[in-house]
Amino acid sequence: MTPIQIPTEDEVHAATRQGEEAVVALFHGIIPNTHILAERMQKLEDRLAKNSRNSGKPPSSDGLNKPALKSLRKRHRKKSGGQPGHKGHT
């Protein structure tokens, strides 16, 4: 991986003294670097967003940020307790 070249403050000042064409040329030299950095940042964000539910990673690799478990049981509409009128015994 090649290091990203960022113009120094002196280079920016020299380009402004040379004129508009030099500033535009300096800017065009920076554009590919911004694309490279944007791609790298997107790859890192995608890697951070993965966990054991949306990738092939094992659950042990989730660390402390484990996703909340969802119950597979469905709610029912019946009230809890016995039949009405039945005397319970305890």
Side-chain angles (χ1 to χ4, degrees):
M1 186 178 303
T2 60
I4 303 294
Q5 297 294 326
I6 299 172
T8 63
E9 194 171 328
D10 293 333
E11 291 172 337
V12 173
H13 286 297
T16 54
R17 277 187 246 112
Q18 290 173 3
E20 185 177 339
E21 293 82 21
V23 173
V24 171
L26 187 66
F27 183 72
H28 283 296
I30 296 172
I31 290 176
N33 292 338
T34 57
H35 292 298
I36 292 169
L37 291 173
E39 288 175 13
R40 286 175 59 186
M41 187 167 55
Q42 187 62 47
K43 285 180 186 177
L44 290 172
E45 286 175 349
D46 291 344
R47 222 166 66 188
L48 279 175
K50 288 188 178 183
N51 60 27
S52 63
R53 287 187 180 225
N54 59 13
S55 70
K57 293 172 58 174
S60 61
S61 69
D62 285 342
L64 299 177
N65 298 334
K66 292 185 180 181
L69 297 176
K70 292 182 180 177
S71 176
L72 298 176
R73 297 180 70 179
K74 305 219 185 259
R75 293 186 60 132
H76 55 80
R77 295 188 175 143
K78 292 183 178 181
K79 291 168 54 175
S80 62
Q83 296 289 326
H86 182 275
K87 275 189 163 180
H89 56 279
T90 55

